[in-house]
Amino acid sequence: MLAESELPSEADDVAHPHCDALIIGAGFSGLAALYELREKLGLSVRLLEAGTDVGGVWHWNRYPGARCDSDSFVYCYSFSKELQNDWEWSERYAAQPEIQRYLQYVADRFEMRRDIEFGTRVTSAVYRETSNEWVVSTEDGQTFRCTYLISAVGPLSRVFKPPFEGMDTFEGDLHLASQWPEGPVDLAGKRVALVGTGATGIQMTPRIASVAAQLTVFQRTPQYVLPARNFLLDAGKQLEIKSTYDEIWAQTRRQAFALPIDDTKRLFSDVNSANRQRLMERAWELGGFRLIFEAFADVMTDEECNQAVADFVRNKIRAIVADPETAERLAPKNKLTRPQLGHHYYETYNRANVSLVDIKADPIESITPKGIRTASGEYEFDVIVFALGFDGGTGAMTQMGICGRDGQSLEEKWEAGPRTYLGICVDEFPNMFMVFGPQTCFANAPVISERASSWIAKAISHMREQGHRAMEPTPEAVESWVDHVAEVYYGTAYKHGKDAGSWLVGANVPGKPIAPQLYVGSAASYFDRIEQEVDDEFKGFTFDGQARVSR
Ligand code: NAP
């Protein structure tokens, strides 16, 4: 909570530029918001970005093997037909350099860079009720004023730093996957340790194994990894995509995870056992997330179905991995929730230069000058790579010094977990909007970001048309969304995320309250819900400070 005297004074305003909307973050979300607010609403917009270029998570996460796990032709914007016709994705799953090139192309094509300040990290954003403005300060000493504050910092941008003792004693090279150096990192012929087997570690494993003399993977909880089955998009496939783009987007907007596949309506109990096996084999061969969306409709909600699909994957691991002990270590014990996609992940453990250490059974005690000490002994390395994930969901937003009405900080507001309306707005934080904020829908990100940005533009238009200066959700609307997010999360197999220590409930960060960080219901139902709010003329909101409550 800021004291009254700490609230930014109006006396200094002349020195500080004002814009209608200030966006934080130049990833998929920030650029979508910039397009909506500037091109469609004609607002004056400033975008502040800590990195040196556009890209957001794709600017920072340049580790070997970094690749998207949504089909590239829907991991992009749909707001411009010309853009989608001109851009050609080279592979089914685009790699990090190609995704960043795409966002650079978008920024150049729509002349976005003129409104972006790179290398500018926001250190505070304070709402000042007297002038109905947000006053935003940056690390390099700049101050901006704006009417609408748009956070587009992403759910996975605050890095979870390795918590191990002795980090600074290591004599070799240490790298964090999500802060990978821009220059070359030579792993050829080196003894490399990789700690962490989430989506990031799973992508790095085959790539590091192919160059290192020796790769030792330190795994705490095994994951379900489905084959991605990447391929090049040849001229025929490009033509097919471009000629059916409208149908592809329509299909994507109906699908649970906003992917270009059809959700099946088939229940596990509808199918006999021989056909169940056939359906799972088919989905496995087609690759991607088909095993959880296309084989049966009730993988996340029916215990028997979840168990059967989980057993299917465990048996695949046993069939692929030659060493039975390694196969058992790789086989997940928890329920199947959102699996990861791998590119020859399990096959990599058949290489002679790759080994797996189970750090649940043999925990890491410290980093030593020579390598890693576990309870059972010391391993020596030239390079240690950490892929320990993020303080996901709330992490990036609560570190920015955001204070709403009366100086109340977002950190205080979210002390017991995120509290938002639709993952977009927060009560007592008037005119603050989030693109892909906590409690938004966990699905194919650019599709969500685009929809949320367009929703924000509609909300601002509504205010302007009705002559309102400010809007914020009612505490009751927030309460109902928080309850709904929890009800959906704990009503599905996702509830076992806590046991697996998932970032989805904040369980990976010591001391963080356990609460769902994202909405895990279907994207289609989320889109319906937010559009309903528009149709209902934003009935979950109050305008011009009417929601003011005394605390
Ligand atoms: P993550 O899923 O949180 O995985 C972190 C890994 O580090 C886990 O194996 C975790 O073990 C381990 N770990 C964490 N703290 C540890 C500790 N103190 N000691 C030992 N091990 C520890 O992080 P991530 O792999 O970066 O992925 C995060 C999210 O980013 C994913 O869920 C996905 O949404 C996104 N992502 C997407 C892509 C893509 O599109 N292809 C690629 C990368 C990431 P436990 O499981 O036991 O906690």
PDB file of all heavy atoms in Angstrom, residues 58 63 67-69 156 160 163-164 195-201 203 220-221 338 359 387-390 442 500-501 503 508, ligand 1:
ATOM      1  N   TRP A  58       9.194 -15.137 -26.771  1.00  0.00           N
ATOM      2  CA  TRP A  58       9.988 -15.658 -27.896  1.00  0.00           C
ATOM      3  C   TRP A  58      11.256 -14.847 -28.130  1.00  0.00           C
ATOM      4  O   TRP A  58      12.096 -15.212 -28.948  1.00  0.00           O
ATOM      5  CB  TRP A  58       9.139 -15.732 -29.169  1.00  0.00           C
ATOM      6  CG  TRP A  58       8.033 -16.717 -28.995  1.00  0.00           C
ATOM      7  CD1 TRP A  58       6.712 -16.429 -28.816  1.00  0.00           C
ATOM      8  CD2 TRP A  58       8.141 -18.144 -28.917  1.00  0.00           C
ATOM      9  NE1 TRP A  58       5.995 -17.587 -28.644  1.00  0.00           N
ATOM     10  CE2 TRP A  58       6.849 -18.660 -28.696  1.00  0.00           C
ATOM     11  CE3 TRP A  58       9.213 -19.049 -29.004  1.00  0.00           C
ATOM     12  CZ2 TRP A  58       6.591 -20.028 -28.568  1.00  0.00           C
ATOM     13  CZ3 TRP A  58       8.954 -20.402 -28.886  1.00  0.00           C
ATOM     14  CH2 TRP A  58       7.658 -20.875 -28.667  1.00  0.00           C
ATOM     15  N   TYR A  63      16.578 -20.840 -26.205  1.00  0.00           N
ATOM     16  CA  TYR A  63      17.392 -22.030 -25.883  1.00  0.00           C
ATOM     17  C   TYR A  63      17.344 -23.038 -27.051  1.00  0.00           C
ATOM     18  O   TYR A  63      16.413 -23.012 -27.876  1.00  0.00           O
ATOM     19  CB  TYR A  63      16.863 -22.673 -24.588  1.00  0.00           C
ATOM     20  CG  TYR A  63      15.410 -23.070 -24.638  1.00  0.00           C
ATOM     21  CD1 TYR A  63      14.994 -24.264 -25.226  1.00  0.00           C
ATOM     22  CD2 TYR A  63      14.417 -22.240 -24.106  1.00  0.00           C
ATOM     23  CE1 TYR A  63      13.660 -24.623 -25.279  1.00  0.00           C
ATOM     24  CE2 TYR A  63      13.067 -22.592 -24.158  1.00  0.00           C
ATOM     25  CZ  TYR A  63      12.706 -23.784 -24.748  1.00  0.00           C
ATOM     26  OH  TYR A  63      11.381 -24.145 -24.817  1.00  0.00           O
ATOM     27  N   ARG A  67      10.664 -24.169 -29.470  1.00  0.00           N
ATOM     28  CA  ARG A  67       9.742 -24.359 -30.592  1.00  0.00           C
ATOM     29  C   ARG A  67       8.325 -24.302 -30.029  1.00  0.00           C
ATOM     30  O   ARG A  67       8.090 -24.675 -28.877  1.00  0.00           O
ATOM     31  CB  ARG A  67      10.016 -25.743 -31.179  1.00  0.00           C
ATOM     32  CG  ARG A  67       9.324 -26.072 -32.461  1.00  0.00           C
ATOM     33  CD  ARG A  67       9.711 -27.475 -32.903  1.00  0.00           C
ATOM     34  NE  ARG A  67      11.063 -27.589 -33.450  1.00  0.00           N
ATOM     35  CZ  ARG A  67      11.426 -27.207 -34.668  1.00  0.00           C
ATOM     36  NH1 ARG A  67      10.551 -26.692 -35.486  1.00  0.00           N
ATOM     37  NH2 ARG A  67      12.666 -27.350 -35.068  1.00  0.00           N
ATOM     38  N   CYS A  68       7.406 -23.867 -30.847  1.00  0.00           N
ATOM     39  CA  CYS A  68       6.028 -23.788 -30.403  1.00  0.00           C
ATOM     40  C   CYS A  68       5.356 -25.163 -30.474  1.00  0.00           C
ATOM     41  O   CYS A  68       5.708 -25.965 -31.322  1.00  0.00           O
ATOM     42  CB  CYS A  68       5.317 -22.824 -31.332  1.00  0.00           C
ATOM     43  SG  CYS A  68       3.648 -22.667 -30.884  1.00  0.00           S
ATOM     44  N   ASP A  69       4.394 -25.407 -29.593  1.00  0.00           N
ATOM     45  CA  ASP A  69       3.710 -26.696 -29.709  1.00  0.00           C
ATOM     46  C   ASP A  69       2.257 -26.553 -30.191  1.00  0.00           C
ATOM     47  O   ASP A  69       1.464 -27.481 -30.071  1.00  0.00           O
ATOM     48  CB  ASP A  69       3.827 -27.535 -28.423  1.00  0.00           C
ATOM     49  CG  ASP A  69       3.279 -26.836 -27.216  1.00  0.00           C
ATOM     50  OD1 ASP A  69       2.579 -25.826 -27.389  1.00  0.00           O
ATOM     51  OD2 ASP A  69       3.535 -27.304 -26.091  1.00  0.00           O
ATOM     52  N   LEU A 156       4.117 -16.333 -18.494  1.00  0.00           N
ATOM     53  CA  LEU A 156       5.343 -17.104 -18.246  1.00  0.00           C
ATOM     54  C   LEU A 156       6.558 -16.245 -18.573  1.00  0.00           C
ATOM     55  O   LEU A 156       7.323 -16.535 -19.492  1.00  0.00           O
ATOM     56  CB  LEU A 156       5.338 -18.378 -19.095  1.00  0.00           C
ATOM     57  CG  LEU A 156       4.245 -19.392 -18.740  1.00  0.00           C
ATOM     58  CD1 LEU A 156       4.032 -20.401 -19.856  1.00  0.00           C
ATOM     59  CD2 LEU A 156       4.580 -20.109 -17.442  1.00  0.00           C
ATOM     60  N   PHE A 160      11.770 -18.445 -12.732  1.00  0.00           N
ATOM     61  CA  PHE A 160      11.994 -19.033 -11.412  1.00  0.00           C
ATOM     62  C   PHE A 160      13.476 -19.384 -11.322  1.00  0.00           C
ATOM     63  O   PHE A 160      13.969 -20.263 -12.018  1.00  0.00           O
ATOM     64  CB  PHE A 160      11.113 -20.284 -11.231  1.00  0.00           C
ATOM     65  CG  PHE A 160      11.363 -21.013  -9.943  1.00  0.00           C
ATOM     66  CD1 PHE A 160      11.197 -20.374  -8.719  1.00  0.00           C
ATOM     67  CD2 PHE A 160      11.792 -22.332  -9.937  1.00  0.00           C
ATOM     68  CE1 PHE A 160      11.439 -21.035  -7.520  1.00  0.00           C
ATOM     69  CE2 PHE A 160      12.038 -23.010  -8.744  1.00  0.00           C
ATOM     70  CZ  PHE A 160      11.858 -22.356  -7.541  1.00  0.00           C
ATOM     71  N   PRO A 163      17.102 -22.481  -6.951  1.00  0.00           N
ATOM     72  CA  PRO A 163      17.188 -22.186  -5.522  1.00  0.00           C
ATOM     73  C   PRO A 163      18.347 -22.922  -4.824  1.00  0.00           C
ATOM     74  O   PRO A 163      18.373 -22.999  -3.592  1.00  0.00           O
ATOM     75  CB  PRO A 163      15.842 -22.731  -5.015  1.00  0.00           C
ATOM     76  CG  PRO A 163      15.541 -23.874  -5.920  1.00  0.00           C
ATOM     77  CD  PRO A 163      16.183 -23.579  -7.248  1.00  0.00           C
ATOM     78  N   PHE A 164      19.292 -23.456  -5.602  1.00  0.00           N
ATOM     79  CA  PHE A 164      20.290 -24.347  -5.006  1.00  0.00           C
ATOM     80  C   PHE A 164      21.465 -23.577  -4.403  1.00  0.00           C
ATOM     81  O   PHE A 164      21.890 -22.555  -4.940  1.00  0.00           O
ATOM     82  CB  PHE A 164      20.814 -25.327  -6.069  1.00  0.00           C
ATOM     83  CG  PHE A 164      19.697 -26.054  -6.763  1.00  0.00           C
ATOM     84  CD1 PHE A 164      19.425 -25.814  -8.103  1.00  0.00           C
ATOM     85  CD2 PHE A 164      18.904 -26.948  -6.064  1.00  0.00           C
ATOM     86  CE1 PHE A 164      18.387 -26.467  -8.744  1.00  0.00           C
ATOM     87  CE2 PHE A 164      17.856 -27.611  -6.702  1.00  0.00           C
ATOM     88  CZ  PHE A 164      17.591 -27.366  -8.037  1.00  0.00           C
ATOM     89  N   VAL A 195      18.838 -29.596 -15.737  1.00  0.00           N
ATOM     90  CA  VAL A 195      17.981 -29.781 -14.560  1.00  0.00           C
ATOM     91  C   VAL A 195      16.592 -29.247 -14.906  1.00  0.00           C
ATOM     92  O   VAL A 195      16.441 -28.060 -15.216  1.00  0.00           O
ATOM     93  CB  VAL A 195      18.545 -29.036 -13.327  1.00  0.00           C
ATOM     94  CG1 VAL A 195      17.726 -29.399 -12.076  1.00  0.00           C
ATOM     95  CG2 VAL A 195      20.017 -29.352 -13.120  1.00  0.00           C
ATOM     96  N   GLY A 196      15.601 -30.107 -14.846  1.00  0.00           N
ATOM     97  CA  GLY A 196      14.232 -29.691 -15.163  1.00  0.00           C
ATOM     98  C   GLY A 196      13.716 -30.388 -16.406  1.00  0.00           C
ATOM     99  O   GLY A 196      14.376 -30.376 -17.455  1.00  0.00           O
ATOM    100  N   THR A 197      12.553 -31.007 -16.287  1.00  0.00           N
ATOM    101  CA  THR A 197      11.977 -31.743 -17.422  1.00  0.00           C
ATOM    102  C   THR A 197      10.533 -31.319 -17.673  1.00  0.00           C
ATOM    103  O   THR A 197       9.634 -32.138 -17.830  1.00  0.00           O
ATOM    104  CB  THR A 197      12.050 -33.270 -17.188  1.00  0.00           C
ATOM    105  OG1 THR A 197      11.454 -33.549 -15.915  1.00  0.00           O
ATOM    106  CG2 THR A 197      13.467 -33.780 -17.214  1.00  0.00           C
ATOM    107  N   GLY A 198      10.305 -29.989 -17.666  1.00  0.00           N
ATOM    108  CA  GLY A 198       9.024 -29.454 -18.130  1.00  0.00           C
ATOM    109  C   GLY A 198       9.092 -29.334 -19.650  1.00  0.00           C
ATOM    110  O   GLY A 198       9.988 -29.899 -20.301  1.00  0.00           O
ATOM    111  N   ALA A 199       8.162 -28.576 -20.238  1.00  0.00           N
ATOM    112  CA  ALA A 199       8.133 -28.410 -21.695  1.00  0.00           C
ATOM    113  C   ALA A 199       9.498 -27.961 -22.220  1.00  0.00           C
ATOM    114  O   ALA A 199       9.964 -28.427 -23.273  1.00  0.00           O
ATOM    115  CB  ALA A 199       7.060 -27.386 -22.070  1.00  0.00           C
ATOM    116  N   THR A 200      10.153 -27.072 -21.469  1.00  0.00           N
ATOM    117  CA  THR A 200      11.438 -26.527 -21.907  1.00  0.00           C
ATOM    118  C   THR A 200      12.521 -27.610 -21.899  1.00  0.00           C
ATOM    119  O   THR A 200      13.217 -27.823 -22.904  1.00  0.00           O
ATOM    120  CB  THR A 200      11.845 -25.361 -20.976  1.00  0.00           C
ATOM    121  OG1 THR A 200      10.811 -24.376 -21.013  1.00  0.00           O
ATOM    122  CG2 THR A 200      13.154 -24.741 -21.388  1.00  0.00           C
ATOM    123  N   GLY A 201      12.670 -28.305 -20.774  1.00  0.00           N
ATOM    124  CA  GLY A 201      13.693 -29.347 -20.663  1.00  0.00           C
ATOM    125  C   GLY A 201      13.471 -30.444 -21.700  1.00  0.00           C
ATOM    126  O   GLY A 201      14.431 -30.982 -22.274  1.00  0.00           O
ATOM    127  N   GLN A 203      12.171 -30.120 -24.632  1.00  0.00           N
ATOM    128  CA  GLN A 203      12.611 -29.671 -25.963  1.00  0.00           C
ATOM    129  C   GLN A 203      14.138 -29.633 -26.076  1.00  0.00           C
ATOM    130  O   GLN A 203      14.701 -29.865 -27.144  1.00  0.00           O
ATOM    131  CB  GLN A 203      12.059 -28.274 -26.252  1.00  0.00           C
ATOM    132  CG  GLN A 203      10.554 -28.271 -26.475  1.00  0.00           C
ATOM    133  CD  GLN A 203      10.043 -26.914 -26.919  1.00  0.00           C
ATOM    134  OE1 GLN A 203      10.623 -25.881 -26.585  1.00  0.00           O
ATOM    135  NE2 GLN A 203       8.952 -26.904 -27.644  1.00  0.00           N
ATOM    136  N   ARG A 220      12.731 -34.382 -11.688  1.00  0.00           N
ATOM    137  CA  ARG A 220      12.034 -34.538 -10.412  1.00  0.00           C
ATOM    138  C   ARG A 220      10.711 -35.257 -10.625  1.00  0.00           C
ATOM    139  O   ARG A 220      10.447 -36.278 -10.020  1.00  0.00           O
ATOM    140  CB  ARG A 220      11.816 -33.172  -9.755  1.00  0.00           C
ATOM    141  CG  ARG A 220      11.437 -33.288  -8.304  1.00  0.00           C
ATOM    142  CD  ARG A 220      11.582 -31.971  -7.573  1.00  0.00           C
ATOM    143  NE  ARG A 220      10.642 -30.955  -8.066  1.00  0.00           N
ATOM    144  CZ  ARG A 220      10.541 -29.752  -7.544  1.00  0.00           C
ATOM    145  NH1 ARG A 220      11.306 -29.398  -6.528  1.00  0.00           N
ATOM    146  NH2 ARG A 220       9.686 -28.876  -8.036  1.00  0.00           N
ATOM    147  N   THR A 221       9.877 -34.731 -11.539  1.00  0.00           N
ATOM    148  CA  THR A 221       8.588 -35.385 -11.819  1.00  0.00           C
ATOM    149  C   THR A 221       8.520 -35.719 -13.309  1.00  0.00           C
ATOM    150  O   THR A 221       8.657 -34.820 -14.144  1.00  0.00           O
ATOM    151  CB  THR A 221       7.418 -34.438 -11.473  1.00  0.00           C
ATOM    152  OG1 THR A 221       7.648 -33.883 -10.185  1.00  0.00           O
ATOM    153  CG2 THR A 221       6.098 -35.185 -11.479  1.00  0.00           C
ATOM    154  N   ARG A 338      -2.426 -31.759 -18.931  1.00  0.00           N
ATOM    155  CA  ARG A 338      -1.948 -31.319 -20.241  1.00  0.00           C
ATOM    156  C   ARG A 338      -0.584 -31.948 -20.500  1.00  0.00           C
ATOM    157  O   ARG A 338       0.370 -31.683 -19.773  1.00  0.00           O
ATOM    158  CB  ARG A 338      -1.835 -29.803 -20.266  1.00  0.00           C
ATOM    159  CG  ARG A 338      -1.499 -29.334 -21.652  1.00  0.00           C
ATOM    160  CD  ARG A 338      -1.199 -27.863 -21.725  1.00  0.00           C
ATOM    161  NE  ARG A 338      -0.701 -27.591 -23.053  1.00  0.00           N
ATOM    162  CZ  ARG A 338       0.341 -26.839 -23.322  1.00  0.00           C
ATOM    163  NH1 ARG A 338       0.996 -26.246 -22.378  1.00  0.00           N
ATOM    164  NH2 ARG A 338       0.735 -26.659 -24.548  1.00  0.00           N
ATOM    165  N   ILE A 359      15.763 -37.084  -9.279  1.00  0.00           N
ATOM    166  CA  ILE A 359      16.106 -36.260  -8.109  1.00  0.00           C
ATOM    167  C   ILE A 359      14.974 -36.201  -7.079  1.00  0.00           C
ATOM    168  O   ILE A 359      15.085 -35.483  -6.086  1.00  0.00           O
ATOM    169  CB  ILE A 359      16.576 -34.831  -8.505  1.00  0.00           C
ATOM    170  CG1 ILE A 359      15.624 -34.167  -9.497  1.00  0.00           C
ATOM    171  CG2 ILE A 359      17.996 -34.859  -8.999  1.00  0.00           C
ATOM    172  CD1 ILE A 359      15.946 -32.709  -9.767  1.00  0.00           C
ATOM    173  N   ALA A 387      16.339 -25.535 -16.389  1.00  0.00           N
ATOM    174  CA  ALA A 387      15.050 -25.283 -17.074  1.00  0.00           C
ATOM    175  C   ALA A 387      13.958 -25.476 -16.023  1.00  0.00           C
ATOM    176  O   ALA A 387      13.157 -26.404 -16.097  1.00  0.00           O
ATOM    177  CB  ALA A 387      14.888 -26.242 -18.239  1.00  0.00           C
ATOM    178  N   LEU A 388      13.973 -24.581 -15.032  1.00  0.00           N
ATOM    179  CA  LEU A 388      13.126 -24.764 -13.844  1.00  0.00           C
ATOM    180  C   LEU A 388      11.797 -24.033 -13.927  1.00  0.00           C
ATOM    181  O   LEU A 388      11.039 -24.004 -12.968  1.00  0.00           O
ATOM    182  CB  LEU A 388      13.878 -24.301 -12.587  1.00  0.00           C
ATOM    183  CG  LEU A 388      15.181 -25.045 -12.276  1.00  0.00           C
ATOM    184  CD1 LEU A 388      15.789 -24.533 -10.979  1.00  0.00           C
ATOM    185  CD2 LEU A 388      14.964 -26.545 -12.189  1.00  0.00           C
ATOM    186  N   GLY A 389      11.543 -23.396 -15.052  1.00  0.00           N
ATOM    187  CA  GLY A 389      10.222 -22.807 -15.252  1.00  0.00           C
ATOM    188  C   GLY A 389      10.104 -21.386 -14.730  1.00  0.00           C
ATOM    189  O   GLY A 389      11.097 -20.650 -14.599  1.00  0.00           O
ATOM    190  N   PHE A 390       8.867 -21.020 -14.407  1.00  0.00           N
ATOM    191  CA  PHE A 390       8.523 -19.612 -14.172  1.00  0.00           C
ATOM    192  C   PHE A 390       7.668 -19.463 -12.919  1.00  0.00           C
ATOM    193  O   PHE A 390       7.008 -20.407 -12.497  1.00  0.00           O
ATOM    194  CB  PHE A 390       7.709 -19.089 -15.362  1.00  0.00           C
ATOM    195  CG  PHE A 390       8.439 -19.187 -16.665  1.00  0.00           C
ATOM    196  CD1 PHE A 390       8.413 -20.361 -17.411  1.00  0.00           C
ATOM    197  CD2 PHE A 390       9.183 -18.112 -17.135  1.00  0.00           C
ATOM    198  CE1 PHE A 390       9.104 -20.464 -18.612  1.00  0.00           C
ATOM    199  CE2 PHE A 390       9.877 -18.205 -18.339  1.00  0.00           C
ATOM    200  CZ  PHE A 390       9.833 -19.382 -19.080  1.00  0.00           C
ATOM    201  N   PHE A 442      -6.406 -20.855 -20.553  1.00  0.00           N
ATOM    202  CA  PHE A 442      -5.142 -21.522 -20.866  1.00  0.00           C
ATOM    203  C   PHE A 442      -5.315 -22.261 -22.188  1.00  0.00           C
ATOM    204  O   PHE A 442      -5.858 -23.355 -22.235  1.00  0.00           O
ATOM    205  CB  PHE A 442      -4.816 -22.498 -19.735  1.00  0.00           C
ATOM    206  CG  PHE A 442      -3.482 -23.193 -19.872  1.00  0.00           C
ATOM    207  CD1 PHE A 442      -2.383 -22.541 -20.404  1.00  0.00           C
ATOM    208  CD2 PHE A 442      -3.322 -24.498 -19.433  1.00  0.00           C
ATOM    209  CE1 PHE A 442      -1.148 -23.176 -20.503  1.00  0.00           C
ATOM    210  CE2 PHE A 442      -2.088 -25.143 -19.520  1.00  0.00           C
ATOM    211  CZ  PHE A 442      -1.007 -24.489 -20.061  1.00  0.00           C
ATOM    212  N   ALA A 500       1.614 -32.617  -8.637  1.00  0.00           N
ATOM    213  CA  ALA A 500       2.744 -32.629  -9.554  1.00  0.00           C
ATOM    214  C   ALA A 500       3.583 -31.357  -9.398  1.00  0.00           C
ATOM    215  O   ALA A 500       4.570 -31.190 -10.092  1.00  0.00           O
ATOM    216  CB  ALA A 500       2.233 -32.758 -10.982  1.00  0.00           C
ATOM    217  N   GLY A 501       3.190 -30.464  -8.508  1.00  0.00           N
ATOM    218  CA  GLY A 501       3.972 -29.245  -8.272  1.00  0.00           C
ATOM    219  C   GLY A 501       3.878 -28.261  -9.409  1.00  0.00           C
ATOM    220  O   GLY A 501       4.806 -27.513  -9.685  1.00  0.00           O
ATOM    221  N   TRP A 503       3.141 -25.143 -11.992  1.00  0.00           N
ATOM    222  CA  TRP A 503       3.041 -23.676 -11.947  1.00  0.00           C
ATOM    223  C   TRP A 503       1.597 -23.234 -12.134  1.00  0.00           C
ATOM    224  O   TRP A 503       1.238 -22.119 -11.779  1.00  0.00           O
ATOM    225  CB  TRP A 503       3.934 -23.036 -13.022  1.00  0.00           C
ATOM    226  CG  TRP A 503       3.536 -23.359 -14.433  1.00  0.00           C
ATOM    227  CD1 TRP A 503       3.981 -24.381 -15.202  1.00  0.00           C
ATOM    228  CD2 TRP A 503       2.595 -22.645 -15.246  1.00  0.00           C
ATOM    229  NE1 TRP A 503       3.374 -24.361 -16.428  1.00  0.00           N
ATOM    230  CE2 TRP A 503       2.522 -23.308 -16.491  1.00  0.00           C
ATOM    231  CE3 TRP A 503       1.804 -21.516 -15.045  1.00  0.00           C
ATOM    232  CZ2 TRP A 503       1.692 -22.877 -17.528  1.00  0.00           C
ATOM    233  CZ3 TRP A 503       0.971 -21.087 -16.070  1.00  0.00           C
ATOM    234  CH2 TRP A 503       0.923 -21.760 -17.289  1.00  0.00           C
ATOM    235  N   ASN A 508       4.928 -24.489  -7.719  1.00  0.00           N
ATOM    236  CA  ASN A 508       6.363 -24.638  -7.965  1.00  0.00           C
ATOM    237  C   ASN A 508       7.201 -23.565  -7.275  1.00  0.00           C
ATOM    238  O   ASN A 508       8.406 -23.679  -7.191  1.00  0.00           O
ATOM    239  CB  ASN A 508       6.653 -24.608  -9.481  1.00  0.00           C
ATOM    240  CG  ASN A 508       6.265 -23.277 -10.109  1.00  0.00           C
ATOM    241  OD1 ASN A 508       5.321 -22.633  -9.671  1.00  0.00           O
ATOM    242  ND2 ASN A 508       6.983 -22.864 -11.120  1.00  0.00           N
TER     243      ASN A 508
HETATM  244  P1  NAP B   1       7.860 -26.170 -15.867  1.00  0.00           P
HETATM  245  O1  NAP B   1       6.861 -26.873 -16.665  1.00  0.00           O
HETATM  246  O2  NAP B   1       7.430 -25.482 -14.628  1.00  0.00           O
HETATM  247  O3  NAP B   1       8.999 -27.236 -15.550  1.00  0.00           O
HETATM  248  C1  NAP B   1      10.025 -26.940 -14.638  1.00  0.00           C
HETATM  249  C2  NAP B   1      10.854 -28.180 -14.389  1.00  0.00           C
HETATM  250  O4  NAP B   1      11.827 -27.879 -13.396  1.00  0.00           O
HETATM  251  C3  NAP B   1      10.031 -29.337 -13.848  1.00  0.00           C
HETATM  252  O5  NAP B   1      10.585 -30.533 -14.301  1.00  0.00           O
HETATM  253  C4  NAP B   1      10.221 -29.181 -12.353  1.00  0.00           C
HETATM  254  O6  NAP B   1      10.017 -30.360 -11.620  1.00  0.00           O
HETATM  255  C5  NAP B   1      11.664 -28.768 -12.301  1.00  0.00           C
HETATM  256  N1  NAP B   1      11.966 -28.055 -11.059  1.00  0.00           N
HETATM  257  C6  NAP B   1      11.433 -26.890 -10.638  1.00  0.00           C
HETATM  258  N2  NAP B   1      11.972 -26.541  -9.456  1.00  0.00           N
HETATM  259  C7  NAP B   1      12.848 -27.507  -9.133  1.00  0.00           C
HETATM  260  C8  NAP B   1      13.701 -27.715  -8.031  1.00  0.00           C
HETATM  261  N3  NAP B   1      13.761 -26.844  -7.018  1.00  0.00           N
HETATM  262  N4  NAP B   1      14.467 -28.821  -8.022  1.00  0.00           N
HETATM  263  C9  NAP B   1      14.414 -29.695  -9.050  1.00  0.00           C
HETATM  264  N5  NAP B   1      13.621 -29.571 -10.131  1.00  0.00           N
HETATM  265  C10 NAP B   1      12.848 -28.479 -10.161  1.00  0.00           C
HETATM  266  O7  NAP B   1       8.639 -25.063 -16.718  1.00  0.00           O
HETATM  267  P2  NAP B   1       8.906 -25.018 -18.293  1.00  0.00           P
HETATM  268  O8  NAP B   1       9.426 -26.303 -18.770  1.00  0.00           O
HETATM  269  O9  NAP B   1       9.708 -23.811 -18.573  1.00  0.00           O
HETATM  270  O10 NAP B   1       7.458 -24.854 -18.892  1.00  0.00           O
HETATM  271  C11 NAP B   1       6.557 -23.886 -18.351  1.00  0.00           C
HETATM  272  C12 NAP B   1       5.415 -23.674 -19.302  1.00  0.00           C
HETATM  273  O11 NAP B   1       5.914 -22.941 -20.405  1.00  0.00           O
HETATM  274  C13 NAP B   1       4.819 -24.915 -19.896  1.00  0.00           C
HETATM  275  O12 NAP B   1       3.807 -25.458 -19.093  1.00  0.00           O
HETATM  276  C14 NAP B   1       4.271 -24.408 -21.215  1.00  0.00           C
HETATM  277  O13 NAP B   1       2.999 -23.858 -21.009  1.00  0.00           O
HETATM  278  C15 NAP B   1       5.226 -23.289 -21.568  1.00  0.00           C
HETATM  279  N6  NAP B   1       6.203 -23.724 -22.585  1.00  0.00           N
HETATM  280  C16 NAP B   1       5.720 -23.950 -23.830  1.00  0.00           C
HETATM  281  C17 NAP B   1       6.574 -24.347 -24.818  1.00  0.00           C
HETATM  282  C18 NAP B   1       6.038 -24.589 -26.174  1.00  0.00           C
HETATM  283  O14 NAP B   1       5.144 -23.970 -26.658  1.00  0.00           O
HETATM  284  N7  NAP B   1       6.541 -25.530 -26.836  1.00  0.00           N
HETATM  285  C19 NAP B   1       7.927 -24.549 -24.559  1.00  0.00           C
HETATM  286  C20 NAP B   1       8.392 -24.301 -23.274  1.00  0.00           C
HETATM  287  C21 NAP B   1       7.515 -23.890 -22.289  1.00  0.00           C
HETATM  288  P3  NAP B   1       8.563 -30.673 -11.018  1.00  0.00           P
HETATM  289  O15 NAP B   1       7.718 -31.040 -12.192  1.00  0.00           O
HETATM  290  O16 NAP B   1       8.791 -31.745 -10.047  1.00  0.00           O
HETATM  291  O17 NAP B   1       8.099 -29.398 -10.367  1.00  0.00           O
END
